[in-house]
Amino acid sequence: MRLSALIATLALSTCPLAVTAETPEERGAYLVEGPAGCGNCHSPIDQAGQPLPGQALAGRLVIELPEFTARAPNITPGGPVAGWSDAELARAIREGLRPDGSLIGPPMPFEMYRDLSDTDLAAIVAYLRTVPAVENTMAASEYRIPLPPAWGPPVESVADIPRGVTAEYGAYLASAVAHCVDCHTPRGPQGALLHDELGRGGFAFEGPWGISVAPNLTSHADGLAEYSDADLAGMITRGQRPDGAPMMPPMPYRYLAKMTGDDLSALILYLRTLPPLPDAETGGS
């Protein structure tokens, strides 16, 4: 297996969260602090893009566009979610509906999160209840575009995808957990064009780092065809291209670095299955 040597190295260097979880809190810690990378939007950062000490998950301004100004809320026990039940918090994460019935807007990737399994969703909620409370009041997001009444019908139940080094589990990680295909797919007025342009790249992200463009993840020559599995692992977990050049935010490298070796292998296995598509035109707001 081409990844074996790299995975062995990563296994020695990853944090204790990247182990087989046995309790809901442990599983939730792995997901939130690992592949789901919740802090990539919900944790305040400095101008260099580094997290502020003692402020994990306390909320921050995520993006400002002509269409909306998105502020990720404080999701620690020191924020508004402290007064929500576990079921209300779970519904907000997976369906984007607050307890009062109001809709949470983009860029929270609800089309992806609707496929979170019941088990993983409960684990995320369980872990969020344990993180240190931070007192930080965030202003509400502002939307200058109409939002739908809901992101879809109520989600009754979502079964677990068996964990393993399979393309099926890799697809679950790339969508419901890490929402890779949401950021790496061109967007239309109604969101990511997942049915026709999945993984084609081209979306532009503006931030303190400047402008970065989500690259093509398909098996096309414009995408991943020329990269080895080890190349991809380095880019995903270290933010480093094969030639040593650093990659740009907002890709959550420091969170993805905490993935287990099997999860990383499953993710790469899935990416190899994406039908080849040439690069999309760069698009932003």
Side-chain angles (χ1 to χ4, degrees), residues 27-274:
R27 174 67 176 169
Y30 170 67
L31 293 171
V32 170
E33 303 295 342
C38 303
N40 204 46
C41 286
H42 286 272
S43 294
I45 56 174
D46 61 22
Q47 285 299 307
Q50 296 302 308
L52 297 179
Q55 296 288 305
L57 303 177
R60 71 177 177 90
L61 172 67
V62 178
I63 191 170
E64 189 156 12
L65 299 171
E67 295 85 357
F68 57 82
T69 299
R71 299 179 181 93
N74 181 347
I75 55 174
T76 77
V81 300
W84 298 2
S85 70
D86 288 357
E88 289 170 339
L89 180 53
R91 188 184 188 204
I93 293 169
R94 189 156 68 179
E95 299 184 47
L97 287 170
R98 300 182 183 89
D100 64 4
S102 62
L103 192 71
I104 301 171
M108 189 82 163
F110 294 110
E111 190 165 7
M112 307 281 106
Y113 289 161
R114 289 174 64 83
D115 291 327
L116 272 171
S117 74
D118 296 348
T119 302
D120 282 347
L121 180 60
I124 289 171
V125 170
Y127 174 64
L128 290 178
R129 299 304 196 190
T130 72
V131 302
V134 181
E135 301 294 333
N136 184 41
T137 301
M138 295 294 300
S141 297
E142 302 167 40
Y143 292 94
R144 295 171 283 277
I145 54 173
L147 297 178
W151 297 112
V155 179
E156 298 298 332
S157 182
V158 179
D160 290 332
I161 301 296
R163 297 186 218 173
V165 185
T166 65
E168 181 186 26
Y169 189 63
Y172 174 71
L173 292 171
S175 57
V177 176
H179 55 87
C180 313
V181 292
D182 184 67
C183 290
H184 287 267
T185 296
R187 308 187 76 80
Q190 302 303 315
L193 304 174
L194 299 170
H195 300 292
D196 301 315
E197 301 193 47
L198 182 67
R200 197 178 178 189
F203 191 75
F205 294 86
E206 296 185 38
W209 54 84
I211 298 177
S212 56
V213 179
N216 188 331
L217 296 183
T218 77
S219 52
H220 193 275
D222 287 349
L224 308 183
E226 304 303 318
Y227 295 109
S228 70
D229 289 359
D231 290 339
L232 295 182
M235 290 190 284
I236 292 168
T237 63
R238 297 198 301 272
Q240 187 177 57
R241 300 182 188 281
D243 64 3
M247 298 172 67
M248 296 176 68
M251 182 89 164
Y253 309 109
R254 71 185 189 89
Y255 297 97
L256 297 175
K258 298 175 183 178
M259 281 194 294
T260 64
D262 280 356
D263 281 4
L264 180 59
S265 295
L267 177 61
I268 291 172
L269 187 63
Y270 165 68
L271 294 178
R272 297 298 192 192
T273 72
L274 293 180

